[in-house]
Amino acid sequence: MASDRNSSDDFATPLKRLLLAVLVIVLVGIFLVWRIDSPRMERIRAQVIDRVVPNMDWAMAPVTGTINLFRDLQSYQRLAQQNDELRRELRQMTAWKEAALQLEQENARLRDLNNVRLDPQLTYITAVVLADSGSPFRQSALINVGSRDGIVDGWATMDGIGLVGRVSGVGNNTSRVILLTDATSRIPAEIQPSGQRALITGDNTGAPPIDFLENPDMVRPGDRIVTSGDGEVFPPGLLIGEVAQDPGGRLRVRLAADYERLEFLRVLRDHGARRVSTPSGLILPENLPDTAPEPAPVDPPETASDG
């Protein structure tokens, strides 16, 4: 067995060498023939190419498929990169769109503030709302103007359309605004066109009730409500809202001011009205007796003299 294996190896090795030598000679001959520059060899090369190349499509199919697959992978990679870039641009455009919408809304609210027609005697200052109380028991807002801007207690505040509340508490740089919806708010009002006088009382809801109507039968839902100017706390004619009726039949106010988006407030400088020195002056009389009046002295009765 070992001798047979050795003999087969002895025959295979020279045969491999012979085939390799023949292959090298053939390749060198093809190279030399292909490099010969003569018209006859050019015709021979053309005929060989015409006969061999078209019949080699089956052999070139894997190579062509591999090349196409590689190109497809490159195109998919480029598409993925473009998709990522488009997504980043879309996120940036979404942020820009949101910023543009916020600026548009802010611009619209500022234009509303500028378009509100006021009494020529009234001047105003525009303030930014810094925060609100967020409490169900107190409806107020903090604005970025104070005593350094000349703000005093009792001045009315408006948004772009309607009355929002009054200043109650002034600091050096900030002020507190009590909203119409606060439970402590009482606004003298006039209902148009009937001219009925009423009081808008806050109850910590978005639609304050209408109290102390002179003649409720003359008031209809949809009637306009403005400040009456009674008590000289608010200037007359400021829009509050319109009359609405709740399911229980009680008359309430559909406020004209947008309390959901209070970003800017107009503080009205009412130079013609009296200033409120203390918040209690809005509801209590100015002069209260400290003590009860003393009773007048009674003279003692005269007695008859003796003899």
Side-chain angles (χ1 to χ4, degrees), residues 6-307:
N6 292 331
S7 61
S8 62
D9 293 337
D10 292 339
F11 284 109
T13 302
L15 183 60
K16 291 178 181 179
R17 292 177 180 176
L18 179 60
L19 291 177
L20 181 60
V22 171
L23 180 62
V24 170
I25 293 172
V26 171
L27 292 177
V28 170
I30 293 174
F31 177 76
L32 294 175
V33 170
W34 210 261
R35 298 295 297 177
I36 295 174
D37 188 9
S38 67
R40 180 177 294 178
M41 292 305 299
E42 185 67 27
R43 289 194 296 270
I44 293 174
R45 286 196 296 266
Q47 291 177 0
V48 172
I49 292 173
D50 291 340
R51 290 180 178 275
V52 174
V53 173
N55 296 326
M56 294 294 292
D57 292 340
W58 60 273
M60 296 297 295
V63 178
T64 304
T66 303
I67 294 174
N68 292 333
L69 180 61
F70 182 72
R71 290 177 178 174
D72 291 341
L73 290 176
Q74 287 182 337
S75 63
Y76 291 152
Q77 185 179 5
R78 287 194 298 270
L79 288 175
Q81 293 176 354
Q82 292 177 358
N83 193 14
D84 293 338
E85 292 178 359
L86 290 174
R87 287 180 177 177
R88 286 194 296 268
E89 292 178 359
L90 181 60
R91 287 194 293 268
Q92 292 177 356
M93 293 180 65
T94 303
W96 293 341
K97 178 183 177 182
E98 182 65 24
L101 289 175
Q102 292 178 359
L103 290 175
E104 182 181 2
Q105 294 173 358
E106 180 178 338
N107 192 17
R109 285 189 286 272
L110 289 174
R111 286 200 305 269
D112 290 338
L113 287 175
N114 291 329
N115 290 333
V116 174
R117 294 183 178 179
L118 299 173
D119 192 320
Q121 296 182 354
L122 295 176
T123 59
Y124 63 89
I125 179 173
T126 301
V128 177
V129 177
L130 300 178
D132 55 48
S133 63
S135 171
F137 304 104
R138 184 175 178 85
Q139 301 288 325
S140 63
L142 190 68
I143 56 178
N144 67 339
V145 292
S147 58
R148 64 183 176 88
D149 303 295
I151 305 300
V152 299
D153 276 325
W155 278 358
T157 59
M158 300 181 66
D159 71 346
I161 301 177
L163 186 66
V164 172
R166 61 176 174 83
V167 176
S168 178
V170 180
N172 187 31
N173 299 318
T174 59
S175 300
R176 177 70 63 180
V177 175
I178 298 297
L179 306 183
L180 298 184
T181 55
D182 188 80
T184 62
S185 175
R186 302 292 185 270
I187 308 298
E190 178 182 347
I191 301 176
Q192 298 175 347
S194 62
Q196 295 292 305
R197 298 299 178 96
L199 197 66
I200 309 302
T201 59
D203 61 350
N204 293 331
T205 65
I210 303 174
D211 292 334
F212 304 107
L213 270 173
E214 298 174 357
N215 190 353
D217 296 334
M218 298 181 63
V219 177
R220 298 289 183 271
D223 289 350
R224 192 167 181 264
I225 305 176
V226 297
T227 57
S228 64
D230 295 338
E232 298 181 353
V233 176
F234 290 102
L238 301 180
L239 178 63
I240 299 176
E242 63 180 20
V243 178
Q245 193 172 21
D246 62 11
R250 188 175 185 180
L251 296 179
R252 292 181 175 269
V253 181
R254 183 180 293 112
L255 297 173
D258 188 359
Y259 283 79
E260 298 296 329
R261 293 182 294 181
L262 289 180
E263 296 185 10
F264 301 96
L265 291 181
R266 171 183 284 182
V267 183
L268 304 183
R269 294 191 179 102
D270 188 7
H271 300 288
R274 65 177 177 86
R275 295 189 177 186
V276 179
S277 58
T278 58
S280 61
L282 296 175
I283 54 178
L284 295 179
E286 296 181 357
N287 298 320
L288 287 178
D290 296 333
T291 58
E294 296 180 357
V298 178
D299 295 334
E302 298 179 355
T303 57
S305 58
D306 295 337

